[in-house]
Amino acid sequence: MNQLGESLRDRKKRRTRAALERATVRLAAEKGYDHVTVEEIAAEADVSVRTFFNYFVSKDEALIGADPETGPRMAERILAAPDEVTPFQAYRDSVLAEITDELNNARDLWLLRKEVLMQRPDLLVRAFANSAESEQLLANAVGRRAGLPESDLYPRLLVAAGSAAFRCAVTRWALDDSVALGDLVRDALDLFGTGLAHVPPHHHEGGSS
Amino acid sequence: MNQLGESLRDRKKRRTRAALERATVRLAAEKGYDHVTVEEIAAEADVSVRTFFNYFVSKDEALIGADPETGPRMAERILAAPDEVTPFQAYRDSVLAEITDELNNARDLWLLRKEVLMQRPDLLVRAFANSAESEQLLANAVGRRAGLPESDLYPRLLVAAGSAAFRCAVTRWALDDSVALGDLVRDALDLFGTGLAHVPPHHHEGGSS
DNA sequence: GGATCGTTTTGCAGTGACTGCAACTTTGCA
DNA sequence: TGCAAAGTTGCAGTCACTGCAAAACGATCC
């Protein structure tokens, strides 16, 4: 292999993965998610069906383009943050970094995903179905960083909150993209940060308390 | 039908649903979740496979025993709470009420579920895969109560936090049930309430725990 | 105690996601 | 060039899940 850059093999894998992801999203946007079979997707990406499943555990995952490197990368970032940064901040920053990266590299894909999610919001929940392993990884990183025992709820909650923030932000964004997705995710995370009980919604009306 | 109590029909439906739920959990605990087929479950509950799918959209859902009445019931409770109660409190209380009810009525089932989840923690995430509709319902209730516009992130986030709290609490509990599940859920919700950034984890630093 | 109507159950046939396995091809490296 | 490791493919098989139309069942009216 080349000394620093990726090997040919690695480059090919990346390309195949990207092609499958793109094919999934494109076809789903065009014909509706469940009118697309894995067979079609594989054909469009010019690989066999079996290969599709070598890259993604499920059709759902391919739609979101879950990348196995994301978890480890975020964990690393969390552990690498300077000492004076709180675990919350470290996690928050790693999420935001990941998102802005993603949006910079694949904004077009997200626009297509938006089409799909507008019609089938439930797919987003389902897409997280296989993320248990990643969550565990991140929770461990947060826990180590915070010096908390294995059994503590906090790391798990923080990570779950991250997923939730992302999920909600995307759902909201798919409905109306007048606010940038990145900003929505940040807002969501910050609400979790300051506490949902403290939020004094800017509501006039209703409870008139 | 009887004027007030349930009709025979309704009673039978409840019994069938309960039997299917129980069969799923029992068999999964005994033989491992994916060594159990829907066919076996249906047989154990003494109904046809087709009937299984009349009650549950998926095997996953049957494991958790997702009840279609839960969502509406919680929504009602949220809207019925007195005016001086904040949206957060109203939601929090509805979650806790639901949980304690559930634990009082089906503690034995939860002990079996614990067996299953100890071996396959990912199943819990998956079990929420089809909850998009319920989440929407609850979010609407919260939103109405808080007098927020459709597009506001807050209701969605609050509801997602509820799911997350429940998920994390159960996961934690499955690992070590020295704290009651109900208490764990409450703790988790309260952490979301006060804010994840504010948490001063009781850590004494250093990995040497 | 039927006749009737709406609801639930069931069987059946079909689709398609997903898996294990055992060739086969491609890439990395000496 | 040649060998080992990694990736790809086809194939056969399992099983979750769906639509449909017939049958069984419960509620209601006479």
Side-chain angles (χ1 to χ4, degrees), chain A residues 4 7 11-12 18 25 34 50-51 58 64 74 84 89 94 96 105 108-110 129 134 146 154 169 173 184-185:
Chain A
L4 246 179
S7 62
R11 240 176 305 137
K12 265 196 165 176
V25 176
D34 37 3
R50 196 61 186 77
T51 297
S58 70
I64 301 302
M74 290 178 67
E84 63 274 18
Q89 285 173 319
S94 84
L96 292 179
N105 296 333
D108 57 329
L109 273 188
W110 278 101
S134 262
Y154 182 79
W173 175 77
L184 285 172
V185 176

Side-chain angles (χ1 to χ4, degrees), chain A residues 20 24 45-46 53 73 88 120 133 138 160 163 177 181 188 195 209:
Chain A
L20 284 171
T24 309
D46 223 10
F53 287 109
R73 189 168 49 226
F88 175 78
R120 302 270 325 259
E133 202 183 340
L138 291 183
S163 297
D177 60 358
L181 180 51
S209 51

Side-chain angles (χ1 to χ4, degrees), chain A residues 1 7-9 12 36-38 50 53 57-59:
Chain A
M1 83 166 101
S7 62
L8 203 187
R9 226 175 230 170
K12 265 196 165 176
V36 178
T37 70
V38 173
R50 196 61 186 77
F53 287 109
V57 250
S58 70
K59 200 175 138 192

Side-chain angles (χ1 to χ4, degrees), chain A residues 85-141:
Chain A
V85 170
T86 67
F88 175 78
Q89 285 173 319
Y91 177 67
R92 185 194 109 121
D93 292 350
S94 84
V95 172
L96 292 179
E98 203 59 46
I99 304 259
T100 51
D101 261 31
E102 172 72 9
L103 287 182
N104 284 336
N105 296 333
R107 178 160 278 133
D108 57 329
L109 273 188
W110 278 101
L111 290 177
L112 285 178
R113 275 192 256 262
K114 198 189 138 188
E115 300 300 315
V116 183
L117 294 175
M118 273 170 48
Q119 293 169 15
R120 302 270 325 259
D122 60 298
L123 288 179
L124 195 54
V125 197
R126 278 172 46 182
F128 279 80
N130 288 84
S131 62
E133 202 183 340
S134 262
E135 289 206 1
Q136 185 63 35
L137 190 75
L138 291 183
N140 286 343

Side-chain angles (χ1 to χ4, degrees), chain A residues 28-48:
Chain A
E30 181 185 323
K31 320 175 37 177
Y33 182 72
D34 37 3
H35 295 133
V36 178
T37 70
V38 173
E39 205 172 333
E40 290 175 279
I41 298 171
E44 168 118 351
D46 223 10
V47 292
S48 75

Side-chain angles (χ1 to χ4, degrees), chain B residues 19-37:
Chain B
L20 284 171
E21 182 180 344
R22 165 160 267 108
T24 308
V25 176
R26 211 188 65 65
L27 289 173
E30 181 185 323
K31 322 176 34 178
Y33 182 72
D34 37 3
H35 295 134
V36 178
T37 69

